[in-house]
C-alpha cells in the first residue's frame, strides 16, 4: 500500500487560505490503513481547520467526503459531486489520488494534505515500513522474498556490505531509528537458509537495469486487452 | 447576558455510571454541561474530541478507568493515545491542549464529585470560551 503522513497544519492552512468553501476529501484504502487520510482523518482535519479559521476571524464552510480510491476515476464521482460549490479541495489521498481528482476538477484548485512517503507494509500497529521501490524489475524471487533495493540502506544487489553489527544495519550509527533497522542482507541469508536455498548467494547479481524504474522517465503500463 | 463556558463530559460507564450529579454540580459552578455516556473510553476517537470542540464545547473532559483497570484491557490506554493526538492538533492550531483532558476514576469506587466538579470548573473558567468553537449565529456545516 501507499504510506503517507499529514502535512503540518500551518502548511495546509497556507494552501487553502483564500477558500471560503472547502471540500476535504479522504481516501479509504491505503492512506486510511496508515491512519493518515481516511474518513476519520478527514473529520479530524476538518474540525481542526474549522477551529483554526474561526480563530483567524474567517468563516469557512467545510464539507467532507471520502471514497474508496481516489486514484480510480470511477470512484471519484461522489467527490466530484461534493465539490460543487467549493472554492478549493483538500485531498488526503496519495499523490496519485490528488492528481486523479485534479484531473476530474479542471476548474478547481486541488491541494495535497499529505506527503506521500513510500510503498510499504503495516509491520506492527503504528509502524509502517518501506519495502518496495517499484523498481520495475522485481528480484524477490532471488532474495527469499526480502527486497534489497528498499530494505538495504545501500540498495546492494550483492550484500551484505560488511558494516552490519549484531544483525543491524550500520545506518543506525548515523541516525536514530526506533525500532532499529536490521541488515536486509542478513535477513535474506536467514530466509534462504530456512528455505534450504543458500546456494543462491553464490551467484553474483549482474548490474541492474535501472531504466525500468524511475530513472527511465515517467512510467506507464499499457494493456491492449484492457483498452476500450 | 454573558455566555457560560460549556463542558462536554464523555463518561465511560464503568468509571462513572451516572454523570447526572456531576452535571448538576458543574451547572451550580456556573458552567453549561452535557454528558455523553460511553460503553468504554476506547470508543472515543480523536475526531470525536475535535468535532465536539469545534461545534459545541469550550472544554471536553473524558472520564475513563485507569489504564490497568480497563474492562476492555487496552481501551483506556488507547484513549490516552488518541487524546494526546487530538491535543497535538490543538497545539498546532494555537488552542490550549488543556481544553481536552482525561480524568481517571476507579470503576466501582465512590467518586469525589465536589472535587471533580471543582477541578473541571476551575479549568473551564480559567480557559474561558473556546475561540475556535462555532457560535450560535453560525450556520450548520453541510456534510
Amino acid at each position: 500500500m501507499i504510506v503517507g503522513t499529514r502535512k503540518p497544519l500551518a502548511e495546509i492552512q497556507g494552501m487553502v487560505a483564500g477558500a471560503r468553501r472547502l471540500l476535504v476529501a479522504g481516501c479509504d484504502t491505503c492512506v486510511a490503513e496508515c491512519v493518515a487520510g481516511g474518513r476519520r482523518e478527514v473529520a479530524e482535519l476538518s474540525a481542526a481547520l474549522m477551529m483554526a479559521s474561526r480563530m483567524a476571524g474567517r468563516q469557512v464552510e467545510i464539507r467532507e467526503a471520502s471514497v474508496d480510491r481516489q486514484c480510480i476515476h470511477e470512484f471519484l464521482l461522489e467527490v466530484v459531486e461534493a465539490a460543487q460549490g467549493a472554492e478549493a479541495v483538500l485531498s488526503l489521498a496519495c499523490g496519485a489520488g490528488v492528481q486523479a481528482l485534479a484531473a476530474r476538477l479542471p476548474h478547481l484548485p486541488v491541494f495535497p494534505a499529505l506527503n506521500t512517503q513510500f510503498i510499504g507494509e503495516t509491520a506492527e500497529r503504528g509502524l509502517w515500513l518501506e519495502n518496495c521501490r517499484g523498481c520495475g524489475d522485481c528480484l524477490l524471487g532471488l532474495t527469499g522474498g526480502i527486497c534489497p533495493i528498499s530494505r538495504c540502506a545501500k540498495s546492494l544487489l550483492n550484500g551484505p556490505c560488511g558494516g552490519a553489527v549484531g544483525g543491524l544495519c550500520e545506518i543506525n550509527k548515523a541516525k536514530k531509528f526506533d525500532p532499529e533497522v536490521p541488515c536486509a542482507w542478513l535477513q535474506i541469508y536467514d530466509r534462504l537458509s530456512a528455505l534450504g536455498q543458500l546456494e543462491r548467494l553464490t551467484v553474483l547479481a549482474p548490474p541492474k537495469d535501472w531504466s525500468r524504474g524511475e530513472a527511465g522517465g515517467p512510467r506507464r503500463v499499457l494493456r491492449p486487452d484492457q483498452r476500450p | 447576558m454573558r455566555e457560560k463556558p460549556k463542558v462536554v463530559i464523555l463518561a465511560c460507564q464503568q468509571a462513572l455510571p451516572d454523570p447526572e450529579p456531576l452535571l448538576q454540580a458543574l451547572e451550580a459552578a456556573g458552567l453549561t454541561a452535557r454528558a455523553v455516556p460511553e460503553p468504554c473510553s476506547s470508543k472515543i476517537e480523536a475526531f470525536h474530541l475535535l468535532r465536539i470542540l469545534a461545534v459545541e464545547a469550550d472544554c471536553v473532559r473524558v472520564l475513563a478507568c485507569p489504564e490497568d483497570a480497563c474492562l476492555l484491557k487496552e481501551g483506556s490506554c488507547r484513549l490516552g493515545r488518541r487524546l494526546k493526538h487530538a491535543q497535538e492538533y490543538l497545539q498546532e492550531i494555537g488552542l490550549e491542549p488543556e481544553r481536552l483532558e482525561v480524568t481517571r476514576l476507579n470503576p466501582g469506587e465512590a467518586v469525589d464529585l465536589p472535587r471533580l466538579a471543582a477541578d473541571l470548573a476551575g479549568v473551564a473558567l480559567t480557559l474561558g470560551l473556546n475561540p475556535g468553537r462555532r457560535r450560535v449565529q453560525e450556520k450548520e456545516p453541510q456534510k
Side-chain angles (χ1 to χ4, degrees):
Chain A
M1 66 170 180
I2 308 296
V3 178
T5 51
R6 177 174 63 82
K7 285 177 176 287
L9 197 62
E11 185 182 343
I12 295 172
Q13 284 176 274
M15 287 188 288
V16 299
R20 287 163 300 162
R21 291 187 301 279
L22 180 67
L23 173 69
V24 181
C27 185
D28 282 333
T29 309
C30 307
V31 289
E33 167 61 22
C34 63
V35 203
R39 58 189 65 217
R40 283 185 177 87
E41 292 73 40
V42 165
E44 286 173 16
L45 182 58
S46 299
L49 287 172
M50 261 186 255
M51 288 194 275
S53 62
R54 286 186 195 117
M55 289 170 67
R58 291 187 296 108
Q59 289 288 330
V60 180
E61 183 188 323
I62 298 180
R63 289 184 188 179
E64 297 172 20
S66 210
V67 291
D68 277 351
R69 290 176 189 87
Q70 278 193 32
C71 57
I72 298 178
H73 285 255
E74 286 84 345
F75 284 77
L76 282 173
L77 296 175
E78 196 183 318
V79 182
V80 170
E81 194 177 309
Q84 301 306 310
E87 293 178 353
V89 178
L90 187 58
S91 168
L92 280 81
C94 68
V98 174
Q99 292 177 71
L101 184 55
R104 295 297 298 260
L105 297 168
H107 304 298
L108 267 184
V110 179
F111 298 108
L114 303 188
N115 289 322
T116 304
Q117 302 288 351
F118 50 77
I119 303 172
E121 71 163 298
T122 304
E124 297 168 14
R125 198 171 75 203
L127 176 65
W128 294 272
L129 299 177
E130 179 177 20
N131 55 14
C132 178
R133 289 271 166 84
C135 71
D137 185 16
C138 190
L139 300 167
L140 288 170
L142 303 174
T143 56
I146 293 167
C147 176
I149 309 296
S150 57
R151 294 168 66 172
C152 167
K154 296 169 183 168
S155 297
L156 293 180
L157 295 178
N158 296 290
C161 65
V165 178
L168 298 175
C169 173
E170 65 180 345
I171 198 171
N172 295 289
K173 293 177 189 165
K175 197 174 161 188
K176 174 81 178 154
F177 290 93
D178 181 20
E180 290 175 302
V181 179
C183 169
W185 273 101
L186 292 183
Q187 290 180 306
I188 290 168
Y189 178 91
D190 289 343
R191 175 83 173 145
L192 291 178
S193 175
L195 294 172
Q197 296 176 2
L198 277 178
E199 74 283 356
R200 285 187 182 279
L201 294 176
T202 63
V203 181
L204 281 178
K208 185 173 170 64
D209 178 3
W210 294 101
S211 70
R212 296 186 188 181
E214 61 184 3
R219 289 178 278 175
R220 58 178 56 188
V221 173
L222 181 62
R223 283 272 303 266
D225 60 316
Q226 297 293 316
R227 299 282 290 162
Chain B
M1 197 174 74
R2 214 171 130 207
E3 190 178 349
K4 294 177 183 173
K6 181 173 180 181
V7 175
V8 172
I9 309 282
L10 302 175
C12 164
Q13 291 286 274
Q14 325 307 319
L16 187 69
D18 179 16
E20 192 54 39
L22 177 62
L23 295 184
Q24 289 170 7
L26 290 172
E27 285 176 8
L31 303 173
T32 305
R34 182 169 84 87
V36 182
E38 298 285 347
C40 172
S41 63
S42 64
K43 302 299 176 192
I44 300 165
E45 303 268 2
F47 76 87
H48 295 145
L49 299 166
L50 291 167
R51 266 192 176 164
I52 293 169
L53 268 188
V55 171
E56 63 167 315
D58 297 300
C59 286
V60 177
R61 182 66 64 100
V62 181
L63 303 180
C65 300
E67 291 189 2
D68 57 358
C70 179
L71 181 72
L72 299 185
K73 306 291 182 202
E74 287 187 17
S76 194
C77 173
R78 289 190 189 186
L79 174 270
R81 293 189 198 135
R82 290 171 187 163
L83 188 114
K84 187 166 176 287
H85 174 68
Q87 284 176 324
E88 286 165 1
Y89 251 119
L90 296 193
Q91 282 175 312
E92 278 192 272
I93 297 167
L95 267 179
E96 303 89 344
E98 296 80 14
R99 291 187 185 276
L100 288 178
E101 281 198 330
V102 61
T103 299
R104 307 277 180 189
L105 303 172
N106 283 311
E109 286 185 16
V111 178
D112 185 351
L113 282 179
R115 188 171 167 187
L116 178 57
D119 170 42
L120 254 165
V123 171
L125 292 169
T126 304
L127 294 173
L129 299 179
N130 166 13
R133 176 188 146 189
R134 189 172 72 217
R135 308 261 64 107
V136 180
Q137 68 273 18
E138 200 178 322
K139 65 180 181 180
E140 288 273 338
Q142 294 177 34
K143 289 282 180 278

